Amino acid sequence: MLEIIREYGLMLLVGEYPHGKLGGLALTLIISIVSLAVTFPCAVLIALARTGPLRTPKAIASGFVHSVRAVPLLMLIFWAYFALPIVIGFPIDATYTLILAIVVYQAAYLGEIIAAGIEGLPKGQSEAAKALGLGYVPTTFRVILPQAIFNVIPGIVNQLTTIIKESSLGSIIAVSELSYVMLQVNSNEVTKPLQIFGILAATYFILCFALSQATNWLERRIANRRTGRVVVEAVA
Amino acid sequence: MGYQLDFGKVLRGEYLDLILQGVQTTMVLFVLSWVFGLVLAIILTVVRAIEFRPTQLLVAAFVEYHRNVPVLIQLFVWYFGFAVVLPDGVNDYLNDIGAEIGYAIVALALNKAAYMSEDFRSGMRSIHPAQMEAARSMGLTYLGAMRWVILPQAWRLALPALLGQTLILFKGTSLAAGIGVAELSYQARYIEEQSFRIFEAYGIATAIYMLISFAIMWLSAVLSDRFRLRVK
């Protein structure tokens, strides 16, 4: 196992980077963070449409969320990778099609998380804003969203874990992220699949386990802040 | 653009057969993984409820592995990794009878068992310990209290999450295409390669996935409502 790490460790981290395209763990992280960053504004829009007063945006957002949740991510990836270039008339890099598919897929899930954050706020918040004479836009962007998004930060970080795991599907359309690199290593070293996929699984595990521990910690912090409880452990 | 949609090209003869076979394989993966997953989840929940540290840690490790490693990688570990542990003869035999689908069912079932056992556990945890104490002080045995007081509430609390897992599992069967199981998305990809009918092949596969997913969502809504825990 150590031999494999010694020989392919750098490849696992950055792919063929100095001599070729960036890949491996670095690409997995870039894909995941870019996907989350692009998903976030889309998800906020969907959440606002879902919880807002207008009927048409509400129906469209609800239709989008339900449809996306009914389709496997792999299907969306196939659409983005094989069908989209024909529709728009020019080829796109596989990495971008992967990000696009993840963004569409996650927008539905993250949108629901943020919508839950908005609905979880006490009604008094928007009523008080209204009583102070604030319109819909300032109420939403200065009163509701800052609190709602703060409260769902654990959910958002948790979605990052999900996106990291989902980005492994890039290996099916030859995006040279972590899983794809290790599949290549496996076809070089045909005799050690257990070690190679063990290392691959361990890499994902360390990353995602750390993130989910961070999520738990954030959840406790935010719950304490919301209920006004003092963190005693710091004193004791 | 010069591309004419023609679903008739894909919905007949050999291609129609492939789609139907794909749907069948998807359903076999889904149903078997679900059943095995649920049974194993119940066993895991029971083992974790018993106050014995080593087995509790073992279950916790099992759950964390399956929650923090991508499902596709879990499939790879079984398909590529586990095969080398077996003697050659067994492997040859397995490959003859189609080992991919077996590995896919094992991987998906173990994965779902981990998630479902967590759902059961959080269902149990949301019942106040005082209920157990009250039941015991009324003279019920531990198992009696479980049977008549705790479990009837716990499974209702866990139900919406379990139904959510069911939908995720159904969609997750598509990942088996990654190890070459000829389920629906694999067949769609194959038909697209053979016929160059991209929009028809993926359109039909997507429509079938949506149809079954909507059925699962509808059933989930009905069941969740029917068995909702009504507390006065």
Side-chain angles (χ1 to χ4, degrees):
Chain A
M1 201 168 232
L2 284 174
E3 270 166 59
I4 296 172
I5 295 179
R6 211 174 299 138
E7 195 164 341
Y8 297 103
L10 192 65
M11 210 173 153
L12 182 130
L13 291 178
V14 293
E16 313 201 320
Y17 175 56
H19 317 291
K21 276 170 82 179
L22 185 68
L25 182 60
L27 189 62
T28 291
L29 287 172
I30 291 173
I31 289 172
S32 309
I33 291 167
V34 170
S35 300
L36 183 65
V38 181
T39 306
F40 183 69
C42 308
V44 170
L45 278 181
I46 290 169
L48 288 179
R50 289 276 275 169
T51 54
L54 297 176
R55 200 171 292 175
T56 320
K58 196 179 259 190
I60 295 173
S62 157
F64 172 80
V65 167
H66 283 96
S67 311
V68 168
R69 277 164 39 132
V71 180
L73 176 60
L74 185 63
M75 258 359 254
L76 290 182
I77 290 177
F78 281 174
W79 278 109
Y81 183 66
F82 295 108
L84 188 67
I86 293 178
V87 175
I88 58 172
F90 55 86
I92 349 173
D93 192 271
T95 309
Y96 296 128
T97 61
L98 176 66
I99 292 175
L100 179 70
I102 294 178
V103 166
V104 170
Y105 193 69
Q106 279 299 328
Y109 286 89
L110 198 61
E112 290 295 273
I113 292 171
I114 296 173
I118 293 173
E119 299 204 308
L121 286 181
K123 252 194 127 170
Q125 292 287 339
S126 55
E127 285 168 357
K130 204 178 272 177
L132 287 169
L134 291 180
Y136 175 75
V137 175
T139 305
T140 304
F141 287 94
R142 312 199 65 164
V143 179
I144 303 297
L145 278 183
Q147 300 184 69
I149 290 171
F150 175 77
N151 289 347
V152 295
I153 286 175
I156 297 172
V157 179
N158 190 38
Q159 252 7 59
L160 180 62
T161 321
T162 310
I163 293 174
I164 290 172
K165 291 190 282 172
E166 283 169 353
S167 71
S168 66
L169 269 73
S171 61
I172 294 177
I173 54 166
V175 176
S176 60
E177 42 70 64
L178 186 55
S179 313
Y180 185 75
V181 168
M182 290 310 265
L183 277 172
Q184 302 254 291
V185 171
N186 184 50
S187 38
N188 280 350
E189 297 269 331
V190 271
T191 52
K192 295 170 189 144
L194 197 58
Q195 291 91 320
I196 288 167
F197 289 104
I199 292 171
L200 179 58
T203 312
Y204 277 110
F205 183 86
I206 293 167
L207 192 60
C208 295
F209 188 72
L211 268 173
S212 58
Q213 294 308 105
T215 311
N216 291 343
W217 179 78
L218 277 169
E219 216 157 43
R220 275 197 305 274
R221 286 281 303 235
I222 288 171
N224 286 342
R225 235 182 104 156
R226 277 163 72 184
T227 50
R229 223 180 302 150
V230 184
V231 184
V232 189
E233 55 195 353
V235 185
Chain B
M1 202 168 73
Y3 189 99
Q4 294 260 302
L5 273 185
D6 183 2
F7 284 96
K9 283 245 162 54
V10 173
L11 276 177
R12 66 158 183 245
E14 186 206 355
Y15 293 147
L16 182 63
D17 286 345
L18 289 177
I19 292 172
L20 293 177
Q21 283 168 22
V23 174
Q24 195 192 350
T25 310
T26 291
M27 291 316 280
V28 167
L29 278 172
F30 171 54
V31 173
L32 290 183
S33 315
W34 190 85
V35 172
F36 292 141
L38 187 70
V39 171
L40 187 59
I42 293 170
I43 297 172
L44 288 174
T45 313
V46 172
V47 171
R48 202 164 182 179
I50 298 168
E51 292 289 335
F52 181 59
R53 206 83 187 106
T55 51
Q56 282 180 332
L57 280 175
L58 218 59
V59 175
F62 177 90
V63 169
E64 291 304 332
Y65 167 76
H66 287 95
R67 291 212 302 187
N68 289 301
V69 172
V71 185
L72 187 63
I73 310 307
Q74 294 169 26
L75 284 158
F76 287 164
V77 167
W78 281 99
Y79 180 65
F80 295 110
F82 186 70
V84 287
V85 182
L86 298 174
D88 285 345
V90 179
N91 265 326
D92 291 343
Y93 173 72
L94 284 177
N95 287 330
D96 281 346
I97 59 166
E100 298 94 355
I101 188 166
Y103 286 129
I105 291 169
V106 170
L108 291 173
L110 292 180
N111 180 269
K112 267 313 94 154
Y115 279 94
M116 286 173 161
S117 78
E118 280 298 280
D119 294 339
F120 281 127
R121 206 162 72 97
S122 68
M124 305 263 281
R125 262 199 316 214
S126 35
I127 295 165
H128 201 277
Q131 293 214 26
M132 181 52 126
E133 288 157 17
R136 293 302 301 275
S137 59
M138 303 264 304
L140 287 173
T141 60
Y142 176 81
L143 287 179
M146 274 288 175
R147 167 76 183 80
W148 299 107
V149 181
I150 307 296
L151 290 181
Q153 302 179 71
W155 80 265
R156 283 175 167 82
L157 286 170
L159 186 66
L162 290 177
L163 292 167
Q165 290 301 334
T166 305
L167 181 63
I168 295 174
L169 172 64
F170 172 67
K171 294 196 290 174
T173 57
S174 64
L175 297 178
I179 57 168
V181 178
E183 44 69 73
L184 184 54
S185 38
Y186 182 95
Q187 299 289 23
R189 171 94 187 84
Y190 177 79
I191 293 170
E192 180 260 312
E193 257 178 357
Q194 295 295 310
S195 65
F196 300 108
R197 293 268 145 202
I198 296 181
F199 297 93
E200 289 86 342
Y202 292 141
I204 289 165
T206 306
I208 296 173
Y209 274 120
M210 285 179 109
L211 211 68
I212 301 175
S213 291
F214 284 142
I216 295 173
M217 285 180 191
W218 174 79
L219 198 66
S220 302
V222 171
L223 289 175
S224 296
D225 188 55
R226 167 75 183 74
F227 294 108
R228 200 176 54 227
L229 195 60
R230 289 176 183 86
V231 189
K232 279 178 191 145

